[in-house]
């Protein structure tokens, strides 16, 4: 079988598997002789990482259109979780149906490499279309809340996430003959998820000062800075392997991912706090729902994408 | 033939719709009975309620898990009757007696005697989406007759949004299910029904759910 991804991507996947193996060994060591099950949550979290990395590697490596379809499905799951969590109006049942249809259409533009339509379909066409469909229904009670929350969902779960898929077709223009879409994608996904883990580890070990207590009481300045800086360090070393980024740009992107990921994370925390829930779902054992996992990507994917697009493509 | 169709229906089509298009968040899954006889008593919002509950069980139990459903509705024409009994696998019960002394619950008792896990909707019909209607006492009469059979209360939320009565467009929503502790018949029908109502209310109040207004 011929994979479409270059060797560098496979090497990085091999490295990730090495890290996961190490994590599993550490968890096994921690749990040895631990009858109280104190690390059960950690163990299920690491196990879920294995599953997620496996699915992601498989989805991304085989063919490009399969990878795009995978992100369309991810958007669908995230949007479904979001629409299930927020208050909705009975009058908008059919509107919600149309909102879901935006997912395949947006990813169709991605697969076609139609950049202009990819950019405006949700901010312009869906923005106007959803409002039109809703106002024609004639229900004015909670109208602003409903139209606002639906558009926010489309912008984050569909528009922002679809930037990940567009990375796959970004090198098609030929400006950077050596760049590969899968490598560009792997760079931002790996660093974003690594940043989440590093911020957690730094926060747990050195965290003293709360950073944004009213939204996320466990987040600390030490976690944020330690995570963002170590992510930047990894970005600096990984960039030449996977991206056309210059060293200075790699540092800029590392910081953007470090801090952007944090903002994405706490934005979804604020949303959950507003709705009065803890986890967005139970799809991923140890992590919560899809939103709990893609929250940071909602910010890092568009930031990284447009940085690349402006300077390189 | 019927069993093959049942496996195709529940193993492929229903699971695709319930697990992929919709999606489940199940609380206290460990409280589900591992074998029959048992009665699962849930609130009723949608035709998909029974499909969702059946997908909670492993496929090997499929021949043993069956929804109790109204004969006058599901057996009203030949195609529907064939589909309901052969594919969906309902235990049909009549809602009105044809003659004095007719035992309406007899088919249900027979199924329990065969060790089946039965899905029972004490509200009787689907009613207003996402609102609990009055639970009818058919459940208590059934429990009184089978005091050794556990009655598991299940509160479901989401299908009234995804596919409410009178609509045919399925809109994806995650479904939330709360499984309660098994109840057994003690005392009187009234105390049993009160216990069931309290259990359902307790499950409904366990977590905040997204408003649907």
């Amino acid at each position: 079988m011929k994979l479409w991804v270059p060797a560098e991507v496979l090497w990085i996947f091999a490295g990730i598997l090495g890290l996961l193996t190490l994590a599993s060994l550490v968890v096994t060591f921690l749990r040895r002789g631990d009858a109280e099950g104190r690390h059960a949550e950690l163990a299920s979290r690491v196990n879920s990482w294995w599953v997620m990395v496996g699915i992601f590697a498989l989805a991304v490596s085989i063919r490009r259109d399969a990878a795009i379809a995978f992100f369309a499905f991810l958007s669908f799951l995230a949007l479904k979780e979001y629409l299930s969590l927020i208050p909705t109006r009975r009058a908008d049942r059919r509107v919600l149906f149309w909102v879901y249809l935006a997912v395949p259409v947006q990813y169709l533009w991605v697969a076609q490499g139609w950049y202009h339509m990819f950019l405006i379909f949700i901010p312009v066409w869906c923005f106007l279309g959803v409002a039109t469909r809703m106002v024609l229904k004639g229900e004015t009670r909670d109208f602003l809340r409903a139209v606002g929350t639906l558009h926010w969902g489309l912008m984050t779960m569909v528009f922002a996430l679809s930037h990940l898929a567009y990375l796959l077709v970004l090198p098609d223009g030929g400006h950077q003959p050596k760049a590969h879409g899968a490598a560009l994608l792997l760079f931002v996904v790996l660093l974003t998820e690594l940043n989440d883990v590093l911020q957690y580890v730094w926060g747990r070990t050195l965290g003293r000062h709360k950073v944004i207590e009213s939204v996320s009481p466990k987040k600390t300045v030490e976690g944020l800075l330690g995570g963002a800086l170590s992510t930047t360090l990894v970005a600096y070393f990984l960039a030449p392997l996977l991206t056309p980024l210059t060293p200075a740009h790699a540092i800029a992107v590392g910081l953007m991912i470090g801090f952007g990921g944090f903002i994405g994370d706490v934005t979804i925390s604020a949303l959950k706090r507003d709705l009065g829930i803890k986890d967005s779902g139970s799809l991923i054992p140890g992590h919560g729902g899809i939103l709990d996992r893609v929250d940071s990507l909602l910010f890092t994917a568009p930031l990284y994408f447009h940085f690349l697009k402006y300077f390189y493509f | 033939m019927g069993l093959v169709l049942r496996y195709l229906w529940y193993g492929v089509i229903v699971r695709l719709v319930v697990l992929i298009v919709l999606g489940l968040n199940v609380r206290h899954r460990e409280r589900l009975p591992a074998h029959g006889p048992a009665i699962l008593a849930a609130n009723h919002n949608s035709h998909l309620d029974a499909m969702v509950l059946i997908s909670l069980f492993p496929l090997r139990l499929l021949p043993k898990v069956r929804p109790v459903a109204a004969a006058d509705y599901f057996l009203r024409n030949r195609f529907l009757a064939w589909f309901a009994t052969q594919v969906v696998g309902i235990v049909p019960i009549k809602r009105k007696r044809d003659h004095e002394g007719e035992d309406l619950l007899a088919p249900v008792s027979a199924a329990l005697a065969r060790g089946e896990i039965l899905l029972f909707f004490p509200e009787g019909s689907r009613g207003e989406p996402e609102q609990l209607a009055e639970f009818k006492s058919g459940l208590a009469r059934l429990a009184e007759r089978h005091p050794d059979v556990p009655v598991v209360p299940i509160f479901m939320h989401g299908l009234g949004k995804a596919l409410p009565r009178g609509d045919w467009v399925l809109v994806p929503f995650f479904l939330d299910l709360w499984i309660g502790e098994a109840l057994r018949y003690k005392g009187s029908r009234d105390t049993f029904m009160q216990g069931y109502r309290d259990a359902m209310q307790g499950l409904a109040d366990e977590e905040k759910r997204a408003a649907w207004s």
Side-chain angles (χ1 to χ4, degrees):
Chain A
M1 189 174 63
K2 197 172 167 348
L3 303 175
W4 84 292
V5 291
E8 296 85 53
V9 168
L10 298 178
W11 279 114
I12 299 293
F13 276 135
I16 298 171
L17 293 186
L19 279 179
L20 280 180
T21 310
L22 188 68
S24 287
L25 287 175
V26 169
V27 169
T28 314
F29 178 76
L30 284 175
R31 297 191 79 188
R32 217 180 33 170
D34 170 29
E36 294 149 35
R38 268 175 305 161
H39 301 289
E41 164 106 359
L42 186 66
S44 80
R45 200 176 291 188
V46 171
N47 287 342
S48 291
W49 274 121
W50 277 100
V51 175
M52 286 188 288
V53 167
I55 292 174
F56 177 75
L58 211 65
V60 165
S61 305
I62 297 172
R63 295 167 52 125
R64 186 162 85 177
D65 31 7
I68 293 171
F70 166 75
F71 285 106
F73 185 61
L74 192 69
S75 263
F76 166 71
L77 289 180
L79 183 65
K80 182 171 63 165
E81 207 166 81
Y82 171 78
L83 293 176
S84 305
L85 293 175
I86 62 165
T88 39
R89 307 186 305 168
R90 222 177 274 202
D92 294 335
R93 236 180 67 80
R94 296 294 172 99
V95 182
L96 295 176
F97 184 78
W98 293 109
V99 165
Y100 278 113
L101 275 190
V103 177
V105 177
Q106 170 73 357
Y107 282 87
L108 184 69
W109 311 139
V110 175
Q112 292 179 339
W114 188 357
Y115 185 60
H116 182 76
M117 199 47 141
F118 159 74
L119 278 188
I120 68 161
F121 176 64
I122 285 169
V124 178
W125 291 107
C126 291
F127 180 69
L128 301 177
V130 167
T132 305
R133 181 68 185 76
M134 278 175 75
V135 78
L136 290 179
K137 182 83 186 177
E139 174 64 83
T140 56
R141 188 180 42 83
D142 289 331
F143 180 83
L144 182 59
R145 186 203 71 194
V147 77
T149 47
L150 291 190
H151 194 61
W152 200 84
L154 279 173
M155 283 300 286
T156 46
M157 311 309 160
V158 188
F159 184 62
L161 277 184
S162 68
H163 282 78
L164 291 174
Y166 208 94
L167 285 169
L168 297 168
V169 301
L170 193 57
D172 283 6
H175 298 287
Q176 299 285 342
K178 282 191 192 151
H180 192 287
L184 298 179
L185 168 75
L186 181 58
F187 185 77
V188 67
V189 173
L190 172 58
L191 284 179
T192 304
E193 302 305 322
L194 200 61
N195 179 56
D196 281 358
V197 175
L198 289 170
Q199 295 208 3
Y200 174 81
V201 172
W202 279 94
R204 284 298 290 263
T205 48
L206 293 179
R208 294 285 177 276
H209 305 87
K210 306 285 182 208
V211 59
I212 182 162
E213 199 172 3
S214 65
V215 178
S216 201
K218 283 186 180 165
K219 295 267 189 302
T220 60
V221 179
E222 292 80 359
L224 170 60
L225 292 181
L229 293 179
S230 40
T231 298
T232 306
L233 194 69
V234 180
Y236 178 80
F237 286 108
L238 271 187
L241 197 62
L242 295 174
T243 71
L245 292 168
T246 63
H249 280 166
I251 290 171
V253 165
L255 290 170
M256 236 164 57
I257 292 176
F259 289 98
F262 172 81
I263 297 294
D265 189 336
V266 291
T267 300
I268 294 300
S269 300
L271 177 143
K272 290 192 293 184
R273 198 155 276 259
D274 183 21
L275 295 171
I277 50 173
K278 186 179 164 287
D279 284 336
S280 67
S282 61
L283 208 58
I284 317 174
H287 295 252
I290 290 277
L291 290 190
D292 296 311
R293 200 58 276 144
V294 301
D295 49 7
S296 314
L297 285 168
L298 300 177
F299 275 60
T300 60
L303 287 172
Y304 166 78
F305 178 93
H306 289 292
F307 187 97
L308 279 182
K309 177 75 183 157
Y310 183 79
F311 286 109
Y312 297 90
F313 292 93
Chain B
M1 177 65 182
L3 200 59
V4 174
L5 284 176
R6 283 200 81 193
Y7 274 107
L8 270 178
W9 173 250
Y10 285 110
V12 182
I13 298 170
V14 168
R15 268 167 210 240
L16 215 64
V17 171
V18 170
L19 301 179
I20 309 273
V21 179
L22 298 168
L24 298 181
N25 287 318
V26 186
R27 275 74 159 190
H28 318 301
R29 190 184 269 273
E30 71 287 352
R31 294 178 183 168
L32 281 175
H35 52 77
I39 298 166
L40 308 186
N43 56 325
H44 204 13
N45 279 311
S46 166
H47 279 318
L48 286 180
D49 287 334
M51 307 299 117
V52 169
L53 290 173
I54 288 178
S55 6
L56 294 175
F57 289 92
L59 276 180
R60 68 185 157 76
L61 281 180
L62 193 54
K64 290 274 180 198
V65 189
R66 302 172 67 192
V68 176
D72 54 273
Y73 186 89
F74 286 98
L75 306 186
R76 67 178 184 271
N77 66 53
R78 274 178 62 189
F79 172 74
L80 193 60
W82 170 81
F83 187 74
T85 54
Q86 298 301 308
V87 182
V88 179
I90 66 165
V91 177
I93 53 166
K94 284 156 69 174
R95 288 194 271 205
K96 286 203 181 78
R97 285 190 181 82
D98 281 341
H99 52 83
E100 195 65 21
E102 184 180 9
D103 180 10
L104 295 181
L105 290 173
V108 182
S109 292
L112 288 174
R114 289 193 297 271
E116 295 182 355
I117 298 172
L118 298 182
L119 318 180
F120 204 84
F121 299 103
E123 284 167 302
S125 81
R126 287 164 292 161
E128 281 290 296
E130 306 304 347
Q131 283 178 24
L132 282 185
E134 182 60 26
F135 296 117
K136 304 213 167 98
S137 62
L139 180 67
R141 279 183 282 135
L142 188 61
E144 181 182 23
R145 196 182 294 188
H146 303 276
D148 47 336
V149 172
V151 176
V152 181
I154 298 182
F155 182 76
M156 298 201 280
H157 170 82
L159 274 175
K161 304 201 271 185
L163 190 72
R165 176 182 199 156
D167 208 332
W168 54 273
V169 176
L170 178 70
V171 176
F173 279 102
F174 270 95
L175 312 178
D176 293 297
L177 279 87
W178 288 266
I179 320 279
E181 309 263 15
L183 307 169
R184 272 167 220 270
Y185 187 86
K186 272 196 277 300
S188 69
R189 285 179 195 173
D190 282 346
T191 53
F192 179 81
M193 281 316 286
Q194 194 51 49
Y196 176 72
R197 268 192 290 273
D198 292 347
M200 289 296 276
Q201 197 58 52
L203 295 173
D205 294 340
E206 252 185 42
E207 275 168 71
K208 208 174 152 186
R209 295 182 306 278
W212 176 251
S213 54

